[in-house]
Amino acid sequence: MAAISASMVKELRERTGLGMMECKKALQEADGDIELAIDNLRKNAGLKSAKKAGRIAAEGAIVTRTAEDASLAVLLEVNSETDFVSRDDNFKGFAQRVVDRVFETKNQDIASLMEGELEDARSQLVQKIGENISVRRAAVIEAPEGGKVGAYVHGDRIGAVVVLKGGSEEVARDIAMHVAAINPAVALPEDMPQEKLDHEKSIILAQPDMAGKPAEIAEKMVLGRLKKYLAENSLVAQPFVKDPNQTVAEYAKQAGGEVVSFVRFEVGEGIEKEEVDFAKEVMEQARRS
């Protein structure tokens, strides 16, 4: 019998969406032949998952869980192929099960988190629903001593957690709502990466009204516009979405808080979605038939 390596099991899992033990058993029965193992799995409903596993899962939901004392919060993204499935109670139940595990273990490494029963549950859900389901990412966010975290999720598609020094969970949650709506680049001006500032500076210097300006005047203009750029893109300097007459920093301060950081997840961000031409697909199927 051929030796069954971890990489072989991993490949079969990726191609089928089935659990580790099921894949290992299938490979053992097929003497290490992955293609034969897939053929054998087709005979016991494995094909349904195998067909779906390669599809892009760019829909889904963002879920959170916050400690009762607001000292810790978890943000999680679970993906599906369609928005319809993300509203399914079975999908929601699975997502809640995963976020609870992250909360209990503080483990945000998806590979190790999903080993064992959670991966088996995911595979069973794939079989039941008929779509590829994947747990994409998790974040465990802790408040500093005496601080608070607040979480907000909008329509299951955008989630944010804000960390405050001092303040209250309610204030942190209000600011998380702002983060979800406005999507600031950084929490504090000093958090802005230097490469972004350099890029913005190059754009400013290339603007028509900068041409021919003396160096000292050009430098003052650049500094002024960079200050404006930082104000527009830093959370604390933005007009608060619920009261534009004050900044986010001012809103936090009046409640005895200070913004430390935030984490924001949006479903499918950064995933290249597959473009499907349904008319073309129907025509091709018609020609084949």
Side-chain angles (χ1 to χ4, degrees):
M1 178 178 288
I4 308 302
S5 67
S7 62
M8 292 166 65
V9 175
K10 181 175 181 291
E11 181 179 346
L12 188 57
R13 287 180 68 190
E14 290 175 347
R15 292 180 62 181
T16 63
L18 299 176
M20 181 176 69
M21 295 309 297
E22 190 171 358
C23 287
K24 185 175 182 180
K25 180 181 178 182
L27 284 166
Q28 288 171 339
E29 292 174 350
D31 199 24
D33 186 327
I34 290 178
E35 297 302 329
L36 178 59
I38 290 175
D39 286 343
N40 290 340
L41 286 167
R42 294 176 65 182
K43 300 170 184 177
N44 57 17
L47 178 61
K48 188 176 184 182
S49 180
K51 280 186 173 180
K52 302 293 181 182
R55 294 189 181 177
I56 297 172
E59 296 296 333
I62 304 297
V63 289
T64 66
R65 180 174 170 184
T66 304
E68 288 186 9
D69 63 357
S71 63
L72 178 144
V74 169
L75 203 55
L76 177 78
E77 179 181 0
V78 182
N79 296 127
S80 59
E81 291 179 42
T82 65
D83 181 62
F84 177 79
V85 162
S86 70
R87 298 192 296 270
D88 179 85
D89 287 342
N90 294 293
F91 178 91
K92 290 181 177 180
F94 171 72
Q96 189 61 51
R97 183 174 174 182
V98 178
V99 82
D100 287 345
R101 179 66 59 84
V102 176
F103 184 88
E104 291 159 4
T105 63
K106 296 185 181 179
N107 181 9
Q108 54 192 2
D109 178 73
I110 299 302
S112 61
L113 179 78
M114 293 299 294
E115 289 180 352
E117 60 179 292
L118 283 181
E119 174 57 25
D120 291 340
R122 186 199 69 82
S123 297
Q124 290 169 16
L125 186 60
V126 170
Q127 292 289 318
K128 182 173 184 177
I129 290 179
E131 281 196 13
N132 188 20
I133 306 296
S134 64
V135 178
R136 185 185 182 197
R137 53 182 171 167
V140 177
I141 304 107
E142 297 186 67
E145 186 175 352
K148 298 293 181 182
V149 295
Y152 173 79
V153 177
H154 182 76
D156 293 332
R157 296 192 61 82
I158 300 174
V161 173
V162 164
V163 180
L164 295 181
K165 184 187 297 182
S168 67
E169 181 181 1
E170 182 181 2
V171 170
R173 184 182 182 278
D174 276 349
I175 299 175
M177 184 187 300
H178 174 102
V179 170
I182 306 301
N183 193 15
V186 293
L188 312 173
E190 55 266 34
D191 294 337
M192 188 68 72
Q194 187 60 46
E195 58 267 26
K196 285 194 174 183
L197 289 174
D198 291 342
H199 177 70
E200 187 63 22
K201 184 175 181 179
S202 69
I203 292 174
I204 294 169
L205 288 171
Q207 291 170 352
D209 63 344
M210 298 295 294
K213 292 287 192 299
E216 64 276 11
I217 294 177
E219 185 64 24
K220 287 181 180 179
M221 291 174 67
V222 167
L223 290 175
R225 292 181 189 182
L226 282 178
K227 184 177 180 180
K228 181 181 178 183
Y229 169 79
L230 286 171
E232 290 173 346
N233 292 279
S234 303
L235 171 61
V236 293
Q238 292 176 337
F240 182 43
V241 72
K242 292 178 73 173
D243 181 5
N245 292 318
Q246 60 180 339
T247 65
V248 169
E250 289 168 344
Y251 173 70
K253 186 177 181 179
Q254 73 180 20
E258 181 183 340
V259 175
V260 176
S261 61
F262 71 84
V263 179
R264 183 184 187 275
F265 283 180
E266 185 168 346
V267 168
E269 60 187 345
I271 298 177
E272 186 176 345
K273 297 185 181 182
E274 184 178 14
E275 297 295 331
V276 179
D277 186 335
F278 290 106
K280 184 178 178 182
E281 189 175 280
V282 171
M283 286 293 290
E284 288 177 351
Q285 288 179 354
R287 289 194 191 100
R288 286 196 296 268
S289 62

